Amino acid sequence: MTIKIIPTKLQDVKLIETEVFGDHRGFFTETFTRNKFEEVGIDFDFNQDNQSLSTQPGVLRGMHYQLAPYTQTKLVRVVTGAVYDVLIDMRKGSPTYGQWEGYLLSEYNHRQLLVPRGFAHGFMTLTPNVNFAYKVDGYYEPKADRGIAFDDPAIGIEWPMSLNHLVMSEKDMQHPTLAEAENNFIYGEI
């Protein structure tokens, strides 16, 4: 299996394509093989797998992070459906601090996204019945759970669908702006 790393504009973020073998029955791909990922510089001790289901288009989950020392590196992918996945660099001192980038992840392109520690992460579903899977290298810690407003005007995320009909949790609608958010991430220290 070969692994292709696609460059992103955000410091330390990696968009990943694994080799897909298809025929008349469907396809096969190795979504994670530790030694092969290590060969391309992705060497994290993932200790938990998570999965979410969003049943309709326009579900927005985010922008989430956990404060240090409970930060998490995530390796995310879409099993069914399609999402617009967004990251914001929150690491003070990073060359890309406060910048965002969005990526199309789908069951068709089989892409995965490495979300480094110190980034806020979220996604918007583009199709119904999105199964979103991710590996993390740290456990969920409720007391460290935080978020940034998905519509922070200083960041200016360009979501691909109208924000008038979003499906969101009450919690995700209440997140502060990046300038107001609790943030203990220092570039090079997490």
Side-chain angles (χ1 to χ4, degrees), residues 12-183:
D12 303 320
V13 173
K14 298 177 191 291
L15 195 56
I16 302 156
E17 288 183 349
T18 57
E19 196 168 4
V20 178
F21 303 95
D23 63 21
H24 67 282
R25 301 167 297 163
F27 75 91
F28 172 84
T29 188
E30 294 177 14
T31 59
F32 181 77
T33 307
R34 181 179 300 278
N35 64 338
K36 292 176 183 175
F37 272 63
E38 287 173 353
E39 288 173 11
V40 296
I42 301 172
D43 185 12
F44 298 94
D45 186 18
F46 293 113
N47 57 12
Q48 182 174 317
D49 284 355
N50 302 319
Q51 184 170 339
S52 69
L53 170 67
S54 300
T55 58
Q56 52 195 313
V59 170
L60 196 149
R61 297 178 185 260
M63 301 295 298
H64 303 143
Y65 64 96
Q66 286 191 172
L67 292 170
Y70 304 103
T71 56
Q72 297 175 315
T73 300
K74 300 175 184 175
L75 181 63
V76 303
R77 66 188 176 92
V78 172
V79 178
T80 59
V83 305
Y84 187 65
D85 199 283
V86 174
L87 303 182
I88 302 168
D89 189 347
M90 295 183 61
R91 303 168 302 167
K92 296 172 188 168
S94 166
T96 56
Y97 173 79
Q99 295 180 29
W100 71 276
E101 190 169 30
Y103 314 89
L104 179 63
L105 303 179
S106 76
E107 67 180 288
Y108 306 106
N109 68 17
H110 307 283
R111 288 183 169 172
Q112 298 182 64
L113 185 63
L114 183 73
V115 181
R117 294 171 181 246
F119 281 76
H121 171 255
F123 63 87
M124 174 186 278
T125 60
L126 304 176
T127 61
N129 298 315
V130 170
N131 274 284
F132 190 86
Y134 52 107
K135 296 181 157 318
V136 295
D137 70 348
Y139 297 109
Y140 174 69
E141 177 51 60
K143 70 182 179 188
D145 186 26
R146 299 291 187 280
I148 296 175
F150 71 96
D151 58 353
D152 181 340
I155 297 171
I157 298 170
E158 297 173 15
W159 296 101
M161 295 173 65
S162 168
L163 301 182
N164 297 330
H165 303 289
L166 291 179
V167 180
M168 296 180 68
S169 71
E170 189 65 33
K171 177 181 130 185
D172 284 354
M173 290 190 279
Q174 305 299 322
H175 293 313
T177 64
L178 176 59
E180 301 166 330
E182 187 176 357
N183 177 2

